[in-house]
Amino acid sequence: MPPVAKNRRPRATSYDVATAAGVAQSTVSRCFQPGSNISDETREIVLATAARLGYAPNALARSLITRRSHAVGVLITRYTLRSAPALLYTLGDALARAGQHMILLAVDDDASVKPVLHGLVGYPLDGLIACATMDDDDVRRFTDQGVAVLFFNRQPGGIAVDGVSTDHAAGAQALAQGMLAAGRKHFLCLGGPREAPVGRERIEGFQKALRAAGLPACQVLDGGFSYDQAHEVFLQAVDRGANPDAVFCANDQMAMAVIDACRHRLGWDIPKRLMVAGFDDVPEGARAPYALTTVRQPIDEMARRAMEMLQARRLQPGGRPRQERLPGEVVLRGSASWPA
């Protein structure tokens, strides 16, 4: 039989520390404030008493006084967490260097953001980084309370707020132009869910390059940003008569699915029979079985600029919002290549 857990003692309060140390309750609070006018002897006694009782200042209560919680919410979809975990790590590192704590808010997809945000309104955040879509009403609920909202790899709607993202359309255009330069003429695209704006931008950018070359828009399959779904819909399209010589996928997971379908089910040579390119540059895509040509996002630089924007917004709440788009880097590997 497992041991019965003992009841924990109640959390110590500043009143408990004041009583045990023989000082006023306000003195306890001042001992935890850097630069406060407290003698070294008194501070030492209070901090030693607090350590013995297991007392720590209530960060939420302090934030009501200072109006700073040193906490930034990061709203992110579970798809992004799975497919691009480096983005979250990079944001976390950038926040830590800026002296901020990260509160992670993971949602299933862009369509399920609203209920999560409703539970967050009222929390004294220093900022909110949205790696998912928010509608104008939700943005306004935060900005009206003085919470800086910044869109990361997403575009804001009608409300002007700060944002930084990869230039998704330009990156996809560069891939299309390269494939065209390599002599490819029959294209197929695999996109993500309709509610995913990043996928739409990438597909639209690719199609724009085809139109500029005098070609009609190519067929777009719904790969759902998923390896399994992309594998299935690509094979179904080939069964129905699709015969592309180049495929662009709006993320690397779908591109790897197409490569596996070609090699293990269709017997097509990559890249002679079919060129395949993705977007994001996930680590798996660089490995020998895939050698995936893709677009690398400047995540480190985007995170650095995001921190700069949040800091500037706190210093100048009424300043003009900034929108920055950073170019991605085309990474040529074995799945598709063309002259420089």
Side-chain angles (χ1 to χ4, degrees), residues 195-253:
E195 65 272 13
V198 167
R200 291 199 306 269
E201 287 184 44
R202 295 173 181 178
I203 295 298
E204 289 168 2
F206 194 87
Q207 298 273 38
K208 181 178 180 180
L210 298 185
R211 292 194 299 270
L215 297 178
C218 67
Q219 182 182 9
V220 180
L221 305 177
D222 180 5
F225 282 155
S226 159
Y227 176 97
D228 291 336
Q229 184 171 328
H231 190 275
E232 180 180 357
V233 299
F234 174 71
L235 289 175
Q236 289 175 350
V238 172
D239 287 341
R240 291 193 298 266
N243 189 31
D245 58 12
V247 171
F248 168 64
C249 299
N251 77 346
D252 288 344
Q253 296 294 332

Side-chain angles (χ1 to χ4, degrees), residues 63-295:
S63 70
L64 297 177
I65 300 173
T66 64
R67 297 185 180 274
R68 288 290 304 278
S69 64
H70 298 285
V72 172
V74 175
L75 178 68
I76 193 168
T77 63
R78 298 188 192 279
Y79 158 72
T80 302
L81 282 174
R82 291 192 301 269
S83 63
L87 185 152
L88 183 63
Y89 297 144
T90 302
L91 275 177
D93 288 343
L95 285 167
R97 288 193 298 271
Q100 298 288 321
H101 304 293
M102 180 172 67
I103 297 179
L104 180 62
L105 305 158
V107 296
D108 288 333
D109 50 39
D110 288 275
S112 56
V113 165
K114 189 175 288 290
V116 174
L117 291 179
H118 284 178
L120 188 66
V121 172
Y123 190 89
L125 293 174
D126 282 357
L128 176 64
I129 297 175
C131 307
T133 301
M134 293 173 60
D135 64 32
D136 291 350
D137 289 339
D138 286 330
V139 173
R140 192 176 292 108
R141 288 189 183 96
F142 287 92
T143 57
D144 286 350
Q145 296 185 35
V147 178
V149 176
L150 180 141
F151 280 84
F152 194 91
N153 239 3
R154 290 290 194 279
Q155 295 302 308
I159 297 181
V161 293
D162 298 316
V164 58
S165 70
T166 301
D167 194 335
H168 302 285
Q173 286 178 44
L175 291 176
Q177 290 163 354
M179 290 177 165
L180 288 164
R184 301 301 160 120
K185 299 179 180 179
H186 307 288
F187 294 87
L188 181 67
C189 287
L190 273 74
R194 289 184 178 180
E195 65 272 13
V198 167
R200 291 199 306 269
E201 287 184 44
R202 295 173 181 178
I203 295 298
E204 289 168 2
F206 194 87
Q207 298 273 38
K208 181 178 180 180
L210 298 185
R211 292 194 299 270
L215 297 178
C218 67
Q219 182 182 9
V220 180
L221 305 177
D222 180 5
F225 282 155
S226 159
Y227 176 97
D228 291 336
Q229 184 171 328
H231 190 275
E232 180 180 357
V233 299
F234 174 71
L235 289 175
Q236 289 175 350
V238 172
D239 287 341
R240 291 193 298 266
N243 189 31
D245 58 12
V247 171
F248 168 64
C249 299
N251 77 346
D252 288 344
Q253 296 294 332
M254 296 189 295
M256 290 187 288
V258 170
I259 290 174
D260 283 342
C262 289
R263 287 176 173 164
H264 305 305
R265 294 286 296 275
L266 301 174
W268 291 4
D269 181 85
I270 304 292
K272 292 182 180 179
R273 171 62 181 81
L274 183 73
M275 280 189 177
V276 181
F279 208 114
D280 288 332
D281 194 29
V282 301
E284 295 84 355
R287 295 172 184 166
Y290 298 108
L292 181 62
T293 290
T294 185
V295 174

